Amino acid sequence: MGANASQLEKEIGHDQFPSNEHYFGLVNFGNTCYCNSVLQALYFCKPFREKVLDYKAKNKRTKETLLTCLADLFYNIATQKKKTGTIAPKKFIARLRKENEVFDNYMQQDAHEFLNYLLNTIADILQAEKQQGNSKVRTTNQNGDQLQTSKPEPTWVHDIFQGTLTNETRCLNCETEKNNNLCNSLKTLSAENVISATKLFGFPAKILIIEPVLPYFLEEWISKNIPAKYW
């Protein structure tokens, strides 16, 4: 172990660190721990990290986006000579605050909400760039009319994080069951959908999961957001 080894490496042992990994803390800029924790988790999600670094290597655009700032941050960590240390994600935080006023303050924020926002934003950026590239090649039919573009194709963000959630709905009266395979795209449950579903099926909404959502217990959320007459 060289003289430049960090205190952490000395205490744990250099051989305990994977040869190609870097462990860097992120400086807190006033309650940005919610952001730092998400960035750390995403960095150590290897498929995601590799796609972000690959995007940086192939991206020749000069326009700054949240994705380019994230790619720069990941590249900065991955190319460090030392295995441990700290990095200040100033550029990423500045871009985040510029793009979304919700995060443009020094208040505590929800890490899960930030994760959803970041992943959705990255997916939107990738889809917009792909559509922009496809728009240069016009597709026409035999009559020479330009064909309508199809809906945006899934990105590598979808490939990594999107899955299928199987939901079961059961009537408390006739006990009829119905299974649905729904796309889990990290969207939130809306009060309107729960209410409309309750009106349709006529039984408590607390056993329903109508939209693609992460599997979490809904009873408390419903009791706070849905008028009692609907459940």
Side-chain angles (χ1 to χ4, degrees), residues 80-95:
Q80 291 290 322
K81 294 182 179 180
K82 294 183 178 180
K83 298 186 69 66
T84 62
T86 58
I87 288 180
K90 293 181 180 179
K91 187 178 179 180
F92 180 86
I93 295 296
R95 188 70 209 180

Side-chain angles (χ1 to χ4, degrees), residues 65-80:
T65 66
L66 206 59
L67 178 53
T68 62
C69 292
L70 180 67
D72 289 340
L73 176 61
F74 279 15
Y75 180 80
N76 193 10
I77 297 175
T79 57
Q80 291 290 322

Side-chain angles (χ1 to χ4, degrees), residues 40-59:
Q40 291 279 16
L42 289 177
Y43 181 82
F44 284 99
C45 175
K46 288 187 177 181
F48 181 81
R49 183 210 309 175
E50 291 172 356
K51 288 294 185 180
V52 171
L53 294 176
D54 184 62
Y55 174 85
K56 177 176 175 59
K58 295 180 179 179
N59 180 47

Side-chain angles (χ1 to χ4, degrees), residues 61 124-137 149-153:
R61 295 178 175 85
D124 290 343
I125 292 173
L126 294 173
Q127 289 177 334
E129 290 179 353
K130 189 169 185 178
Q131 285 183 340
Q132 184 178 7
N134 292 340
S135 65
K136 297 179 181 179
V137 181
T149 57
S150 59
K151 63 180 181 180
E153 296 180 2

Side-chain angles (χ1 to χ4, degrees), residues 3-15:
N4 295 328
S6 66
Q7 184 63 31
L8 180 62
E9 290 177 272
K10 293 178 180 178
E11 293 179 356
I12 297 179
H14 183 76
D15 57 328

